[in-house]
Amino acid sequence: MSEEAVLSANQTLLNAITQGDYEIYKQLVSSDVTCFEDESAGHLVQGLEFHKFYFDLDGPPTGVPSPNKAHMAAKPHVRMLGENAAVCSYVRVNQKVGGDGVPVTTTALETRVWERKEGLW
């Protein structure tokens, strides 16, 4: 598939995070996912449970983006690894309104490996 399809799937994933939609998130992420996260203090995390904890903090999904939270991929780069695999790297820009009402913006460098299965990324 094309780089555009990978970027679209990646944005759908970021939208699921913004909307707190764990069902969509787990459809897009392998159950045996591995990652290094800021929250894991440099330790390798395996599986979805680590991520589910953060979805549960926000309560049930609303299905719409929060006006007080946004995630976007800045400067995305996709490298296709054949027809059914791709690596997508980007700067994730996270915006939210803090408890004191002041906007906060943070960034994180992310790399995701995408695999196309049954026609879907």
PDB file of all heavy atoms in Angstrom, residues 4-17:
ATOM      1  N   GLU A   4       0.508   7.118   2.027  1.00  0.00           N
ATOM      2  CA  GLU A   4      -0.684   7.838   2.483  1.00  0.00           C
ATOM      3  C   GLU A   4      -1.573   6.947   3.345  1.00  0.00           C
ATOM      4  O   GLU A   4      -2.150   7.398   4.332  1.00  0.00           O
ATOM      5  CB  GLU A   4      -1.477   8.400   1.299  1.00  0.00           C
ATOM      6  CG  GLU A   4      -0.771   9.501   0.540  1.00  0.00           C
ATOM      7  CD  GLU A   4       0.275   8.980  -0.460  1.00  0.00           C
ATOM      8  OE1 GLU A   4       0.198   7.799  -0.856  1.00  0.00           O
ATOM      9  OE2 GLU A   4       1.172   9.754  -0.822  1.00  0.00           O
ATOM     10  N   ALA A   5      -1.686   5.674   2.976  1.00  0.00           N
ATOM     11  CA  ALA A   5      -2.506   4.743   3.756  1.00  0.00           C
ATOM     12  C   ALA A   5      -1.904   4.514   5.137  1.00  0.00           C
ATOM     13  O   ALA A   5      -2.628   4.421   6.137  1.00  0.00           O
ATOM     14  CB  ALA A   5      -2.666   3.422   3.018  1.00  0.00           C
ATOM     15  N   VAL A   6      -0.586   4.442   5.212  1.00  0.00           N
ATOM     16  CA  VAL A   6       0.086   4.276   6.504  1.00  0.00           C
ATOM     17  C   VAL A   6      -0.129   5.520   7.363  1.00  0.00           C
ATOM     18  O   VAL A   6      -0.457   5.421   8.550  1.00  0.00           O
ATOM     19  CB  VAL A   6       1.593   3.989   6.314  1.00  0.00           C
ATOM     20  CG1 VAL A   6       2.319   3.985   7.659  1.00  0.00           C
ATOM     21  CG2 VAL A   6       1.791   2.669   5.586  1.00  0.00           C
ATOM     22  N   LEU A   7       0.031   6.694   6.767  1.00  0.00           N
ATOM     23  CA  LEU A   7      -0.190   7.936   7.513  1.00  0.00           C
ATOM     24  C   LEU A   7      -1.629   8.051   7.989  1.00  0.00           C
ATOM     25  O   LEU A   7      -1.896   8.521   9.106  1.00  0.00           O
ATOM     26  CB  LEU A   7       0.197   9.145   6.659  1.00  0.00           C
ATOM     27  CG  LEU A   7       1.687   9.306   6.389  1.00  0.00           C
ATOM     28  CD1 LEU A   7       1.925  10.431   5.385  1.00  0.00           C
ATOM     29  CD2 LEU A   7       2.454   9.535   7.683  1.00  0.00           C
ATOM     30  N   SER A   8      -2.564   7.607   7.172  1.00  0.00           N
ATOM     31  CA  SER A   8      -3.973   7.629   7.564  1.00  0.00           C
ATOM     32  C   SER A   8      -4.227   6.697   8.754  1.00  0.00           C
ATOM     33  O   SER A   8      -4.915   7.070   9.707  1.00  0.00           O
ATOM     34  CB  SER A   8      -4.845   7.233   6.383  1.00  0.00           C
ATOM     35  OG  SER A   8      -6.206   7.188   6.768  1.00  0.00           O
ATOM     36  N   ALA A   9      -3.665   5.487   8.697  1.00  0.00           N
ATOM     37  CA  ALA A   9      -3.814   4.549   9.820  1.00  0.00           C
ATOM     38  C   ALA A   9      -3.175   5.115  11.074  1.00  0.00           C
ATOM     39  O   ALA A   9      -3.730   5.003  12.177  1.00  0.00           O
ATOM     40  CB  ALA A   9      -3.188   3.202   9.463  1.00  0.00           C
ATOM     41  N   ASN A  10      -2.027   5.745  10.913  1.00  0.00           N
ATOM     42  CA  ASN A  10      -1.339   6.329  12.067  1.00  0.00           C
ATOM     43  C   ASN A  10      -2.174   7.452  12.686  1.00  0.00           C
ATOM     44  O   ASN A  10      -2.280   7.564  13.903  1.00  0.00           O
ATOM     45  CB  ASN A  10       0.042   6.843  11.650  1.00  0.00           C
ATOM     46  CG  ASN A  10       0.948   7.016  12.829  1.00  0.00           C
ATOM     47  OD1 ASN A  10       1.438   6.037  13.398  1.00  0.00           O
ATOM     48  ND2 ASN A  10       1.177   8.257  13.221  1.00  0.00           N
ATOM     49  N   GLN A  11      -2.778   8.276  11.840  1.00  0.00           N
ATOM     50  CA  GLN A  11      -3.623   9.360  12.363  1.00  0.00           C
ATOM     51  C   GLN A  11      -4.863   8.799  13.045  1.00  0.00           C
ATOM     52  O   GLN A  11      -5.319   9.328  14.061  1.00  0.00           O
ATOM     53  CB  GLN A  11      -4.005  10.349  11.261  1.00  0.00           C
ATOM     54  CG  GLN A  11      -4.709  11.588  11.792  1.00  0.00           C
ATOM     55  CD  GLN A  11      -3.859  12.360  12.793  1.00  0.00           C
ATOM     56  OE1 GLN A  11      -2.714  12.690  12.515  1.00  0.00           O
ATOM     57  NE2 GLN A  11      -4.415  12.656  13.969  1.00  0.00           N
ATOM     58  N   THR A  12      -5.416   7.722  12.508  1.00  0.00           N
ATOM     59  CA  THR A  12      -6.555   7.072  13.163  1.00  0.00           C
ATOM     60  C   THR A  12      -6.151   6.601  14.559  1.00  0.00           C
ATOM     61  O   THR A  12      -6.921   6.739  15.518  1.00  0.00           O
ATOM     62  CB  THR A  12      -7.058   5.886  12.318  1.00  0.00           C
ATOM     63  OG1 THR A  12      -7.495   6.390  11.048  1.00  0.00           O
ATOM     64  CG2 THR A  12      -8.196   5.151  12.998  1.00  0.00           C
ATOM     65  N   LEU A  13      -4.946   6.078  14.677  1.00  0.00           N
ATOM     66  CA  LEU A  13      -4.450   5.655  15.988  1.00  0.00           C
ATOM     67  C   LEU A  13      -4.333   6.839  16.936  1.00  0.00           C
ATOM     68  O   LEU A  13      -4.776   6.773  18.090  1.00  0.00           O
ATOM     69  CB  LEU A  13      -3.093   4.956  15.826  1.00  0.00           C
ATOM     70  CG  LEU A  13      -2.431   4.479  17.107  1.00  0.00           C
ATOM     71  CD1 LEU A  13      -3.234   3.359  17.753  1.00  0.00           C
ATOM     72  CD2 LEU A  13      -1.012   4.030  16.836  1.00  0.00           C
ATOM     73  N   LEU A  14      -3.754   7.937  16.466  1.00  0.00           N
ATOM     74  CA  LEU A  14      -3.632   9.126  17.318  1.00  0.00           C
ATOM     75  C   LEU A  14      -5.011   9.677  17.694  1.00  0.00           C
ATOM     76  O   LEU A  14      -5.221  10.120  18.828  1.00  0.00           O
ATOM     77  CB  LEU A  14      -2.789  10.197  16.624  1.00  0.00           C
ATOM     78  CG  LEU A  14      -1.312   9.857  16.420  1.00  0.00           C
ATOM     79  CD1 LEU A  14      -0.607  10.981  15.669  1.00  0.00           C
ATOM     80  CD2 LEU A  14      -0.620   9.548  17.725  1.00  0.00           C
ATOM     81  N   ASN A  15      -5.959   9.622  16.771  1.00  0.00           N
ATOM     82  CA  ASN A  15      -7.326  10.058  17.089  1.00  0.00           C
ATOM     83  C   ASN A  15      -7.944   9.184  18.170  1.00  0.00           C
ATOM     84  O   ASN A  15      -8.643   9.680  19.051  1.00  0.00           O
ATOM     85  CB  ASN A  15      -8.202  10.042  15.838  1.00  0.00           C
ATOM     86  CG  ASN A  15      -7.799  11.082  14.824  1.00  0.00           C
ATOM     87  OD1 ASN A  15      -7.034  12.002  15.109  1.00  0.00           O
ATOM     88  ND2 ASN A  15      -8.290  10.941  13.609  1.00  0.00           N
ATOM     89  N   ALA A  16      -7.701   7.876  18.096  1.00  0.00           N
ATOM     90  CA  ALA A  16      -8.221   6.966  19.131  1.00  0.00           C
ATOM     91  C   ALA A  16      -7.649   7.326  20.492  1.00  0.00           C
ATOM     92  O   ALA A  16      -8.360   7.297  21.508  1.00  0.00           O
ATOM     93  CB  ALA A  16      -7.901   5.515  18.773  1.00  0.00           C
ATOM     94  N   ILE A  17      -6.375   7.688  20.523  1.00  0.00           N
ATOM     95  CA  ILE A  17      -5.757   8.104  21.787  1.00  0.00           C
ATOM     96  C   ILE A  17      -6.417   9.379  22.287  1.00  0.00           C
ATOM     97  O   ILE A  17      -6.798   9.474  23.460  1.00  0.00           O
ATOM     98  CB  ILE A  17      -4.239   8.287  21.594  1.00  0.00           C
ATOM     99  CG1 ILE A  17      -3.585   6.933  21.302  1.00  0.00           C
ATOM    100  CG2 ILE A  17      -3.611   8.947  22.825  1.00  0.00           C
ATOM    101  CD1 ILE A  17      -2.150   7.027  20.805  1.00  0.00           C
TER     102      ILE A  17
END
